[in-house]
Amino acid sequence: MGASALEFCALTAARSGEVRNAKWSEIDLDKKVWTVPAERMKADREHRVSLSEHAIKLLKALPRYAECDLVFPSVRSKPLSDMTLSKCMKGICVGEPIFHDRVSERPAVPHGLRSTFKDWTVERTDYPSELAENALAHAVESKVEQAYRRSDMLEKRRAMMEDWAKFLSSEIVA
């Protein structure tokens, strides 16, 4: 379950806490949207996540438990711990220098997947920065911009998240 949660973190560029506490009732497989409630978001506002085909396939392959609405439950039907994802990632990183930070030389951590997503959008795509920032659910600093930006650009983010999933699965080498 930890590996699946980590993969979902990568595919959605979501924070690990959002993924570990994700509930089936928040996910619309038909519309390919995961709606994270405001109380679980750092910015205290609801966030819609566009789900790629790969993310949908991952979700459909997961077991569902009648007594538990969590998408990634622990064996005790509680949310996975943050250490579960970190440990899973450290297991992947063993002996693999590609999974180490180039500057600090420390092993990669789950939160770094978000940074990798942002780097990918900036360095390897033509997607606008505000689209990536919206996907990351970063707060808009300017009060004026907050007042005028009412859309979450979900439909525009769909193509970006699909391309990101393809990049992660090496279907494209951009």
Side-chain angles (χ1 to χ4, degrees):
M1 199 55 74
S4 294
L6 185 61
E7 183 178 3
F8 195 71
C9 270
L11 289 166
T12 59
R15 292 176 180 90
S16 65
E18 295 159 10
V19 170
R20 291 182 295 106
N21 290 286
K23 296 179 178 160
W24 285 110
S25 55
E26 301 166 354
I27 294 173
D28 187 325
L29 294 171
D30 295 326
K31 292 182 180 175
K32 301 178 186 171
V33 175
W34 169 32
T35 305
V36 186
E39 61 269 13
R40 285 215 327 276
M41 294 300 300
K42 187 175 180 180
D44 290 322
R45 67 174 189 270
E46 181 181 277
H47 178 61
R48 294 190 307 161
V49 179
S50 176
L51 299 173
S52 66
E53 290 296 331
H54 192 103
I56 294 293
K57 185 177 177 182
L58 181 150
L59 290 169
K60 286 182 175 180
L62 291 173
R64 288 177 110 164
Y65 305 100
E67 73 282 355
C68 184
D69 192 33
L70 290 169
V71 176
F72 303 102
S74 69
V75 292
R76 292 188 178 93
S77 294
K78 298 203 182 298
L80 294 170
S81 75
D82 197 33
M83 289 307 300
T84 300
L85 274 66
S86 294
K87 185 177 178 183
C88 184
M89 195 160 201
K90 283 179 184 173
I92 294 168
C93 293
V94 173
E96 296 291 336
I98 194 169
F99 293 116
H100 284 71
D101 183 273
R102 284 179 256 154
V103 177
S104 70
E105 297 186 8
R106 290 187 304 225
V109 295
H111 193 75
L113 296 169
R114 291 171 52 81
S115 177
T116 302
F117 169 77
K118 179 63 177 181
D119 289 346
W120 171 79
T121 62
V122 171
E123 295 176 3
R124 297 181 178 223
T125 77
D126 292 326
Y127 289 110
S129 182
E130 62 267 15
L131 209 58
E133 290 298 307
N134 198 292
L136 292 166
H138 284 164
V140 176
E141 295 297 321
S142 162
K143 296 283 185 198
V144 173
E145 192 171 347
Q146 284 177 8
Y148 286 94
R149 189 190 296 172
R150 294 194 174 106
S151 171
D152 67 359
M153 300 182 277
L154 181 72
E155 294 309 314
K156 285 189 169 194
R157 287 188 282 133
R158 287 192 185 282
M160 181 176 65
M161 298 314 289
E162 202 61 54
D163 286 347
W164 171 240
K166 289 176 182 174
F167 175 75
L168 289 176
S169 66
S170 298
E171 289 179 31
I172 60 172
V173 182

